[in-house]
Amino acid sequence: MKAYMFGVDVGGTTVKLGLFRTTGELEDKWEIPTNTENGGARILPDIAGAIRDKLKEKDIAPQDVEGVGIGVPGAVLDSGVVNRCVNLGWGVTDVKQLLSGYLDGMRVEVGNDANVAALGEMWNGGGKGYQNIVMVTLGTGVGGGVILNGRILSGSTGAAGELGHFKVNAEETETCGCGKKGCLEQYASANGIARMAAKRLAAEPETETVLRKLPKPTSKDIFDAAKQGDAFAASLVEQVGELLGKACAYVSCTVNPEAFVIGGGVSKAGPIVTDTIERYHRKMAFHACENTRFELAVLGNDAGIYGAARMLL
Amino acid sequence: MKAYMFGVDVGGTTVKLGLFRTTGELEDKWEIPTNTENGGARILPDIAGAIRDKLKEKDIAPQDVEGVGIGVPGAVLDSGVVNRCVNLGWGVTDVKQLLSGYLDGMRVEVGNDANVAALGEMWNGGGKGYQNIVMVTLGTGVGGGVILNGRILSGSTGAAGELGHFKVNAEETETCGCGKKGCLEQYASANGIARMAAKRLAAEPETETVLRKLPKPTSKDIFDAAKQGDAFAASLVEQVGELLGKACAYVSCTVNPEAFVIGGGVSKAGPIVTDTIERYHRKMAFHACENTRFELAVLGNDAGIYGAARMLL
């Protein structure tokens, strides 16, 4: 194993990069803009350029670099080919071969961004010490990543860990981003929680709650109010916890991980999130997986670069 | 790889044994009774005796045997230790070490019976040609097995693939064998389907159906009637298909297999079973896994011995 490695997390607006020692220490991290013009043709050359510049700056020889791990927002096949990344403008793109070519044959490993973040949390975050975790990311949507025996499970079409698209409500009339209706992320993402709150506030005009004082209560407002004892906000938190606890119970009966790691913006509300989900999970899981642990993610936006680098180990 | 291997499937009443060539051919199969007296203390010695007798009968030297694979009805840890088998009378039992000891150090691999059957179907049955399948067994209960990259996924406490205990009905008043309420197997096992039919027949006294002529319609009666155009029976089949299709959609969003293999007594009704489940799965699965295949199991009671032997390869 060589001394250094890079972890790269490609987002729709910025690319995050990290220079790591292969022993695990993050030596440096920085960002470059994501250039999505011309079908994202500049993205990989820009990343290669940023890596070359960093090597020069730090006086590191390319032969001391183990490789580059890269997480991208799309389905990734085991070959390192990305099926399509709408946010980047990419069609089918052989990221592994192309980026390696731009870096004179340097080793490249590619993963889906949500899966890569899960691997990062397992390596150096909320899932440290476990080898089998499922990460659930409660952000704009609900994402997920399945790590088994320390490795990402991609699935046969790159769709493993898409927990946000569990159908949980047959009565839903609004359409999810995926094109179907009643997906978990329509209720348990930051947007979904705010949407549920707005609907219930309108449907229950008699209920008193501090949330009425806010023009558009966010997921953060709801968790804050629940922590301060607002009964309506607390009942929303229970609803979200029940949906997620049930979904996690399904996941437990399928892959039976050691722990769930809960991340994303919503998880910043802290233990109230994991405690509520865990309580419902325990109630609904098969007895042999009742005691699965629930941990908070800790790496935040750095999970991607950690996990990307970890793919090389 | 040596020339021969044994696959053993331990049930509560009989132990099935198979002598295989390591190239995959089943040379011979037979059964012995399961002696559950004295906490099942005779079961492993009896199996060792049956294997020795077969080697003598076939004039095969022990050094030409790759090993013995064995499936047991209980949770199996990766170490080959069985956590408990209620049906056999076993407490925590180191099956791998004990059986190997009775066979002069022969290699032994141990798996849970449902997982082992899934591996058998992948190797030589309905899942042939795939490396990533989930088997759903619709028998007395609803069992399951997850095979990823050609290997059994046991899970951190041996509970991977326990799809029968997905909670699908929060209103259920009867208790499942697992101790909780509203489990998939209370509706989609052979017993569960018959139970649902009896409830609906009582609740809908005006509905005409050929099932009323039977004292206690079984799952087979219901599928037979549906195939002959009985509308009530067909609506029961739809209910079961919807529950299973939805459960499989959750599994798809978690591990994203290439195919589901549907087995167990209920699956003997044929393509009506897989077609109905597949239709609902397609409707409810995330778009990237909509086209997951549905296959019928073909090995029947032999799946266990096939899969047990396959663990050695």
Side-chain angles (χ1 to χ4, degrees):
Chain A
M1 183 69 48
K2 297 168 184 175
Y4 295 95
M5 59 186 179
F6 288 91
V8 182
D9 183 17
V10 185
T13 318
T14 58
V15 178
K16 296 180 184 67
L17 298 101
L19 168 64
F20 291 82
R21 290 196 176 262
T22 49
T23 44
E25 298 82 14
L26 176 60
E27 291 273 310
D28 195 8
K29 62 171 180 171
W30 73 106
E31 295 183 4
I32 60 171
T34 306
N35 184 342
T36 54
E37 284 169 31
N38 296 319
R42 287 296 314 161
I43 297 173
L44 294 177
D46 286 353
I47 291 169
I51 287 172
R52 280 182 205 286
D53 290 349
K54 188 58 66 178
L55 291 177
K56 204 172 287 172
E57 177 197 324
K58 298 278 183 180
D59 201 20
I60 296 169
Q63 53 270 34
D64 289 333
V65 177
E66 181 63 31
V68 179
I70 177 169
V72 299
V76 179
L77 305 179
D78 282 339
S79 58
V81 173
V82 174
N83 208 358
R84 218 160 60 103
C85 291
V86 181
N87 294 343
L88 307 182
W90 288 355
V92 175
T93 306
D94 190 339
V95 173
K96 190 181 173 103
Q97 204 184 352
L98 285 168
L99 185 58
S100 179
Y102 293 132
L103 288 165
D104 305 318
M106 195 178 278
R107 181 179 160 211
V108 172
E109 299 294 338
V110 194
N112 164 270
D113 56 356
N115 294 342
V116 162
L119 187 63
E121 288 287 345
M122 183 211 77
W123 186 35
N124 234 329
K128 201 168 177 171
Y130 301 113
Q131 287 284 301
N132 299 282
I133 67 160
V134 174
M135 182 161 174
V136 183
T137 305
L138 308 173
T140 317
V142 172
V146 179
I147 308 294
L148 300 175
N149 295 317
R151 298 179 67 87
I152 289 170
L153 178 74
S154 300
S156 66
T157 59
E162 286 286 359
L163 316 186
H165 300 286
F166 278 19
K167 299 296 168 290
V168 296
N169 181 7
E171 317 298 324
E172 181 61 55
T173 53
E174 291 179 36
T175 303
C176 177
C178 77
K180 297 192 176 176
K181 285 175 182 152
C183 291
L184 180 61
E185 81 172 28
Q186 292 184 278
Y187 314 95
S189 63
N191 292 343
I193 295 169
R195 189 181 76 107
M196 270 217 295
K199 278 199 160 181
R200 280 193 52 195
L201 283 168
E204 304 168 33
E206 322 250 294
T207 308
E208 284 180 41
T209 161
V210 297
L211 297 176
R212 293 222 183 268
K213 294 177 192 141
L214 304 166
K216 248 190 145 177
T218 63
S219 161
K220 183 177 183 307
D221 296 330
I222 293 156
F223 278 96
D224 285 346
K227 285 189 225 171
Q228 321 231 308
D230 186 272
F232 175 81
S235 78
L236 280 166
V237 169
E238 289 296 310
Q239 266 189 293
V240 174
E242 180 167 4
L243 283 168
L244 286 167
K246 192 171 174 180
C248 288
Y250 293 149
V251 173
S252 281
C253 285
T254 308
V255 293
N256 187 16
E258 296 164 87
F260 288 91
V261 177
I262 313 296
V266 173
S267 73
K268 289 186 185 151
I272 187 175
V273 178
T274 38
D275 290 353
T276 313
I277 302 173
E278 183 171 8
R279 183 155 37 82
Y280 282 102
H281 174 275
R282 185 181 299 275
K283 200 175 145 192
M284 291 190 264
F286 185 54
H287 58 80
C289 29
E290 258 176 22
N291 297 320
T292 310
R293 304 292 299 268
F294 282 78
E295 312 282 357
L296 283 166
V298 300
L299 295 176
N301 290 333
D302 287 349
I305 55 173
Y306 271 95
R310 179 60 171 74
M311 286 192 288
L312 298 158
L313 299 182
Chain B
M1 184 68 49
K2 297 167 185 175
Y4 295 95
M5 59 186 178
F6 289 91
V8 181
D9 182 17
V10 185
T13 318
T14 58
V15 177
K16 296 181 182 65
L17 298 102
L19 168 64
F20 291 84
R21 291 197 176 261
T22 50
T23 44
E25 298 81 13
L26 176 60
E27 291 274 311
D28 194 9
K29 63 172 179 169
W30 73 107
E31 295 183 4
I32 61 171
T34 307
N35 183 343
T36 54
E37 284 171 29
N38 295 319
R42 286 296 316 161
I43 297 174
L44 294 177
D46 286 354
I47 291 169
I51 287 172
R52 281 183 204 284
D53 290 349
K54 187 59 63 177
L55 291 177
K56 203 172 287 172
E57 176 197 326
K58 298 279 183 178
D59 201 19
I60 296 170
Q63 53 268 35
D64 288 333
V65 178
E66 181 61 32
V68 179
I70 177 168
V72 299
V76 179
L77 306 178
D78 282 338
S79 58
V81 174
V82 175
N83 207 356
R84 218 160 59 102
C85 292
V86 181
N87 294 345
L88 306 183
W90 288 356
V92 174
T93 305
D94 190 338
V95 173
K96 189 181 174 101
Q97 203 184 353
L98 285 169
L99 184 57
S100 179
Y102 294 132
L103 288 164
D104 305 317
M106 194 177 280
R107 181 178 161 212
V108 172
E109 299 294 338
V110 193
N112 164 270
D113 56 357
N115 294 342
V116 161
L119 186 63
E121 287 288 344
M122 183 211 77
W123 185 35
N124 234 330
K128 201 168 179 170
Y130 301 112
Q131 286 284 301
N132 299 282
I133 67 159
V134 174
M135 181 161 176
V136 183
T137 305
L138 308 173
T140 317
V142 172
V146 179
I147 307 294
L148 299 175
N149 294 316
R151 297 178 67 85
I152 290 171
L153 178 73
S154 298
S156 65
T157 58
E162 285 287 359
L163 316 185
H165 299 288
F166 277 17
K167 298 297 167 290
V168 297
N169 180 8
E171 317 297 323
E172 181 61 55
T173 52
E174 290 180 35
T175 304
C176 175
C178 77
K180 296 189 177 176
K181 284 174 182 153
C183 291
L184 180 61
E185 82 171 28
Q186 292 184 277
Y187 314 95
S189 62
N191 291 342
I193 294 168
R195 190 182 74 108
M196 273 216 293
K199 277 198 161 185
R200 280 192 53 195
L201 284 168
E204 303 167 34
E206 323 249 292
T207 307
E208 283 180 43
T209 162
V210 297
L211 297 176
R212 293 220 184 268
K213 293 177 195 142
L214 305 165
K216 248 189 146 178
T218 63
S219 160
K220 182 176 184 307
D221 296 329
I222 293 157
F223 278 96
D224 284 347
K227 285 188 227 173
Q228 319 230 312
D230 185 90
F232 175 81
S235 77
L236 279 167
V237 169
E238 289 296 309
Q239 266 189 293
V240 173
E242 180 167 4
L243 282 169
L244 286 168
K246 191 170 176 183
C248 288
Y250 293 148
V251 172
S252 281
C253 285
T254 308
V255 294
N256 186 16
E258 296 163 87
F260 288 91
V261 177
I262 312 295
V266 173
S267 73
K268 290 188 186 151
I272 186 176
V273 179
T274 39
D275 290 352
T276 313
I277 303 174
E278 182 170 11
R279 182 155 38 80
Y280 282 101
H281 174 274
R282 185 180 299 274
K283 200 174 144 193
M284 291 189 264
F286 185 54
H287 59 80
C289 28
E290 258 175 23
N291 297 321
T292 310
R293 304 292 298 269
F294 282 78
E295 311 282 356
L296 283 166
V298 300
L299 295 176
N301 290 334
D302 286 349
I305 56 173
Y306 271 94
R310 179 61 170 72
M311 287 191 287
L312 298 160
L313 300 182

